[in-house]
Amino acid sequence: MGNTLHKSNKQLRKEKTTLFLGLTWLDIIGLVIILGFRFIPAPAPLTKEGMQVIGTLLGIAFIYSTVGTSWGTFLGWLGLAAPAKVLMESKNGLNSVMTLTLGDNIVAFVLISLMLCYGLKQSGFMDQFSYWFMRTKFATKSPWSFFFAWMLLSFILGLFIETIPLCIFMLGVAHRMFERMGFQPGDKFPSCLVIATVFSSLCSYVATPLVVGGGYKAMAVASAFFDGQIPMVQYSLCAAPALILTFLFVYLAMRYIIKPDTSKLEGANYAALMGDKPQPMTRQGKLLTAIYLLVMLFWILPNFLDMLAPGWAFTKWCSETGSLGFALIALTLMFLLKVDGKPLINMADAFKSVPWGIVCVMATTRAIATLLSKDGTGFKEWIGVIVGSVSGNISPWLIVVVICLLCAVCTQFASNTPVYTIAIAALVPQAALLGMSGGGVAVMISAAAGLALTLPSGFAFLSYLVGDEWCRNGDQLKVLLWILRNSPDAPDIAAMCAALKMDPADAQDYLQYWQNCGVLLTDGEEPKPTAAVSPAPVPTPAPVQPQKKPARIEAVAPPKPTSTEIAVRVDESPEIGHLF
């Protein structure tokens, strides 16, 4: 088992499906979908070009959800070249695709805004704001006030920066707090706070009107089907209340249903939990923060000026400059202004910080949405026939609600990008037929498709919850106890999975976790230094002589649990009770 222990569940599945030159069956299926649709006769009123665009959409949706966002994006661009030549009436279809993808103004805005976010992260503003916020009177009032304030901090910061860097930052601070509180890995309160942190960040990811959120990316796709503008203020007014209710539900569930023990926080010095006060912001950091906040103001201001003072010359100038213009001005200032002879941010570092995979995925979906909106595809007419055939007997609201529920379910298993692209392309053009607003339909679909709250296949960072030492689950403990009790030298994985009713792939992941912690070792691996403790006795198994001796795992005994801790574990799990 020695080498297998080092491989993740995903790696093992990939090895089993590899054919040649690194290609897998999943790669082949994606290729067949993209290339095969151009040979399928187009049902009226769809055209040949419409079938090619739909085939590209379905093919990259499959690749994004099963393989990743690497090569599928570029294959999608090649697949769109032939229909783009006809639909865009150009001499070179691939040039048109480049214009629709990397040359798109919304894609450019996303790229520039991500570099602005990098500037904010370099400013030190997050450290200062977090330290101040968690020392307010409300946050230090009681254990559950502290819990709610921490969730709220995650939500607020998630409105301005990307979700994964935010989770890494927040959980890094949380881990240090748990140690100061005297908690142990596996305690329920730290587990609840870790889970609530990730959920709060995901809620703000959907609710935020800024480019770092999922709503902006989805509404950018929808804008190709109506007036070309992205009504993000209206989006937030609709999506934010629903996400706030989700946020409150998570908090109430943690407090009144799960009910973790908060006795270690009673009378605690909450002000000291955040650690030492961050260093004062430098002049560079203050300038970066000021520029970022100022550009945010100009992103939102035109929406209010259009309502309050539509005739002003300043209102006209703001509208003509647009979000892209203000973002470009702000980024130019970050590169141009210098402190102590150095620019506020380094251009090379800013470009390295950009998640280019996400940018390319968004560029691809924007191009697909633009092509599907063209009259030459027959797509809108085809969907109109389908919607018209069912809308006479079913309420339009019911149709939209069912589609949104399907999006919310599908996004748990797949990337939300193909989910909202397909749903928006199908429903937004037909909103008028349903007697509804295209923008309103897009808002509901965008919000539903962003709620990837349950599975790592929908949001990869959720896999962190499985391996986080403060969020350890019961199955990991069962695996360790079974090995220590039955076969520490030569574990029989099949027998363990049968006894614990566990999937072998999951068992491999749990073994990997204990090896990373230094509790289980493979042959030739030295134990990590540990504090001097009285080791718990490990039963000596009967000699085993398999035909082929597997890699030996040495058990480094963890600290001996107390009788109270053992009794609690036995009460919580019948399987653990049986092991003891």
Side-chain angles (χ1 to χ4, degrees):
M1 191 192 72
N3 292 331
T4 306
L5 190 61
H6 292 275
K7 299 172 182 175
S8 68
N9 188 8
K10 185 175 181 180
Q11 288 173 320
L12 292 173
R13 288 197 301 268
K14 186 174 182 180
E15 287 182 2
K16 293 178 182 179
T17 58
T18 299
L19 300 176
F20 60 92
L21 297 178
L23 292 176
T24 68
W25 280 113
L26 300 177
D27 298 328
I28 300 300
I29 292 173
L31 282 167
V32 169
I33 294 174
I34 292 177
L35 299 178
F37 259 68
R38 63 192 62 235
F39 301 107
I40 300 177
L46 280 177
T47 64
K48 177 182 177 181
E49 288 72 30
M51 287 293 287
Q52 292 174 347
V53 177
I54 292 173
T56 302
L57 170 60
L58 296 179
I60 65 169
F62 178 83
I63 293 171
Y64 287 164
S65 300
T66 59
V67 179
T69 60
S70 54
W71 62 271
T73 292
F74 304 107
L75 180 64
W77 293 357
L78 291 172
L80 293 175
K85 181 178 180 180
V86 177
L87 297 172
M88 302 300 292
E89 300 179 354
S90 66
K91 295 181 180 180
N92 190 308
L94 197 54
N95 287 347
S96 297
V97 172
M98 293 298 103
T99 301
L100 295 173
T101 53
L102 298 179
D104 183 77
N105 65 311
I106 293 179
V107 175
F109 175 69
V110 170
L111 176 62
I112 294 171
S113 299
L114 290 172
M115 287 189 278
L116 291 177
C117 291
Y118 169 78
L120 180 67
K121 286 184 283 187
Q122 297 301 305
S123 68
F125 172 77
M126 285 197 308
D127 292 331
Q128 295 286 343
F129 180 79
S130 302
Y131 185 80
W132 167 82
F133 189 85
M134 294 308 297
R135 292 167 63 91
T136 59
K137 290 183 178 180
F138 172 76
T140 58
K141 186 177 180 181
S142 69
W144 283 107
S145 294
F146 185 86
F147 193 100
F148 183 85
W150 184 261
M151 289 181 61
L152 185 60
L153 176 63
S154 302
F155 185 89
I156 293 174
L157 293 180
L159 298 174
F160 305 100
I161 61 176
E162 305 99 308
T163 306
I164 292 180
L166 171 64
C167 289
I168 294 173
F169 168 76
M170 294 296 293
L171 294 181
V173 177
H175 288 178
R176 294 192 293 271
M177 288 196 307
F178 298 152
E179 294 172 356
R180 296 188 184 102
M181 294 174 187
F183 285 109
Q184 297 295 325
D187 287 347
K188 190 175 288 187
F189 183 86
S191 298
C192 289
L193 193 62
V194 168
I195 295 172
T197 301
V198 177
F199 273 43
S200 302
S201 304
L202 278 169
C203 286
S204 59
Y205 169 79
V206 182
T208 179
L210 301 182
V211 70
V212 295
Y216 186 93
K217 299 176 180 67
M219 293 298 287
V221 172
S223 67
F225 292 97
F226 37 99
D227 58 4
Q229 299 298 315
I230 302 180
M232 290 312 300
V233 173
Q234 293 88 331
Y235 170 86
S236 293
L237 291 176
C238 296
L243 273 300
I244 291 173
L245 290 177
T246 304
F247 172 91
L248 293 175
F249 172 79
V250 172
Y251 170 76
L252 294 174
M254 294 293 182
R255 181 169 183 176
Y256 296 107
I257 298 177
I258 301 178
K259 298 180 180 179
D261 180 18
T262 60
S263 58
K264 293 183 179 180
L265 288 174
E266 298 292 345
N269 183 6
Y270 295 100
L273 293 177
M274 292 297 292
D276 298 332
K277 184 177 181 179
Q279 293 293 328
M281 289 179 63
T282 62
R283 186 183 177 192
Q284 174 191 17
K286 293 177 181 178
L287 286 172
L288 286 171
T289 303
I291 292 172
Y292 189 91
L293 296 179
L294 192 61
V295 75
M296 278 185 53
L297 175 64
F298 278 96
W299 285 344
I300 301 172
L301 190 60
N303 293 277
F304 295 99
L305 290 178
D306 288 338
M307 294 184 292
L308 300 176
W312 285 6
F314 181 70
T315 302
K316 183 179 179 181
W317 177 77
C318 288
S319 298
E320 291 176 350
T321 304
S323 298
L324 177 59
F326 289 123
L328 193 56
I329 292 172
L331 186 63
T332 302
L333 290 175
M334 288 186 179
F335 289 148
L336 178 64
L337 299 182
K338 294 180 175 62
V339 174
D340 297 331
K342 296 181 180 179
L344 298 183
I345 59 173
N346 181 274
M347 181 179 292
D349 293 337
F351 272 89
K352 289 178 183 178
S353 72
V354 174
W356 288 101
I358 295 176
V359 174
C360 290
V361 167
M362 184 176 180
T364 306
T365 54
R366 276 283 298 173
I368 290 174
T370 301
L371 292 177
L372 284 179
S373 67
K374 298 294 182 181
D375 293 334
T377 61
F379 179 77
K380 291 186 289 186
E381 294 78 5
W382 180 61
I383 294 295
V385 172
I386 297 175
V387 173
S389 64
V390 299
S391 61
N393 302 320
I394 302 176
S395 168
W397 278 105
L398 181 60
I399 296 175
V400 175
V401 168
V402 169
I403 294 295
C404 289
L405 289 175
L406 287 175
C407 289
V409 171
C410 292
T411 198
Q412 310 306 319
F413 302 93
S415 169
N416 65 345
T417 302
V419 172
Y420 64 64
T421 302
I422 294 173
I424 285 174
L427 275 187
V428 170
Q430 308 306 322
L433 181 63
L434 295 172
M436 306 177 74
S437 163
V441 172
V443 166
M444 290 185 283
I445 293 174
S446 303
L451 291 174
L453 300 173
T454 59
L455 297 176
S457 53
F459 178 51
F461 194 79
L462 291 176
S463 59
Y464 182 93
L465 299 182
V466 177
D468 186 270
E469 62 176 335
W470 295 98
C471 199
R472 186 182 305 163
N473 62 33
D475 285 343
Q476 290 172 325
L477 183 60
K478 293 173 188 177
V479 166
L480 178 64
L481 291 174
W482 193 94
I483 289 178
L484 294 178
R485 183 173 187 264
N486 294 276
S487 55
D489 293 327
D492 187 335
I493 304 301
M496 179 181 69
C497 292
L500 300 179
K501 298 179 181 180
M502 186 179 297
D503 184 84
D506 291 335
Q508 294 286 359
D509 286 341
Y510 299 147
L511 288 171
Q512 179 71 62
Y513 170 78
W514 289 116
Q515 188 192 28
N516 292 341
C517 293
V519 176
L520 298 179
L521 306 177
T522 52
D523 283 338
E525 187 176 1
E526 295 295 329
K528 296 179 181 180
T530 58
V533 295
S534 299
V538 179
T540 303
V544 179
Q545 296 180 353
Q547 294 181 355
K548 184 177 180 180
K549 185 177 179 180
R552 181 174 181 270
I553 293 181
E554 300 175 8
V556 179
K560 184 176 179 179
T562 65
S563 57
T564 302
E565 292 173 336
I566 293 175
V568 171
R569 289 296 187 186
V570 170
D571 290 338
E572 289 178 345
S573 173
E575 291 91 342
I576 293 179
H578 170 72
L579 293 174
F580 278 97

